[in-house]
C-alpha cells in the first residue's frame, strides 16, 4: 500500500501563487505516473497535470503556462507550483499515483485532497 498526503492548499487572491506538495510513503516500488486532479463544487474531478515515468509533464489546457508539476524522487514528493491563479482554479486538489506494487499488481492511489480557494 502507498499513502499520499497533500499539503500547501489555502486561500489566495487572484493573480497569486501557491505550491502544493504530495508526500508519498509506504511500500513504494514503482511509480508509473504521478499527477494532480481537482474537483470544484458541483463538478466532476478533472485532470490538471501529470508526469509519466521519465517523460515530459503534460497539462490540462486550462492550466498550461501557469502551473508546473515537478517531482523529487529522492524525497518521494510531488509538487504543483500554481501561478497566476484564477477564481476558476478554486477546487479540492488531489494527488494521484499509478503505481506498480511489489507483487507486480498495478494500483491507483489517491490522497485525501487539499482545498485551494482563489478570491476575485
Amino acid at each position: 500500500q502507498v499513502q499520499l498526503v497533500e499539503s500547501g492548499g489555502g486561500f489566495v487572491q487572484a493573480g497569486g501563487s501557491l505550491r502544493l506538495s504530495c508526500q508519498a510513503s509506504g511500500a513504494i516500488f514503482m511509480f508509473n505516473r504521478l499527477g494532480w486532479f481537482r474537483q470544484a463544487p458541483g463538478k466532476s474531478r478533472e485532470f490538471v497535470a501529470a508526469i509519466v515515468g521519465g517523460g515530459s509533464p503534460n497539462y490540462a489546457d486550462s492550466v498550461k503556462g501557469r502551473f508546473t508539476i515537478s517531482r523529487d524522487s529522492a524525497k518521494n514528493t510531488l509538487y504543483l507550483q500554481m501561478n497566476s491563479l484564477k477564481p476558476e482554479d478554486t477546487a479540492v486538489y488531489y494527488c494521484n499515483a499509478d503505481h506498480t506494487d511489489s507483487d507486480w499488481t498495478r494500483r491507483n492511489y489517491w490522497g485525501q485532497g487539499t482545498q485551494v480557494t482563489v478570491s476575485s
Side-chain angles (χ1 to χ4, degrees), residues 42-54:
K43 295 188 177 181
S44 301
R45 192 171 297 188
E46 64 175 9
F47 169 77
V48 175
I51 298 175
V52 179

Side-chain angles (χ1 to χ4, degrees), residues 14-104:
S17 299
L18 283 173
R19 188 175 83 153
L20 305 183
S21 299
C22 173
Q23 177 69 58
S25 62
I28 295 171
F29 186 67
M30 183 172 67
F31 287 113
N32 305 301
R33 187 184 79 167
L34 288 165
W36 292 94
F37 288 72
R38 67 186 182 186
Q39 188 166 16
K43 295 188 177 181
S44 301
R45 192 171 297 188
E46 64 175 9
F47 169 77
V48 175
I51 298 175
V52 179
S56 299
N58 54 89
Y59 299 93
D61 288 344
S62 59
V63 307
K64 277 181 184 176
R66 301 188 297 122
F67 291 11
T68 303
I69 188 171
S70 62
R71 173 185 180 182
D72 186 333
S73 297
K75 296 181 179 180
N76 289 320
T77 303
L78 181 72
Y79 302 99
L80 185 68
Q81 177 67 44
M82 305 186 295
N83 299 327
S84 302
L85 282 161
K86 304 175 181 180
E88 50 264 43
D89 294 318
T90 295
V92 177
Y93 283 71
Y94 296 92
C95 179
N96 173 260
D98 178 337
H99 182 264
T100 297
D101 292 350
S102 58
D103 62 357
W104 295 100

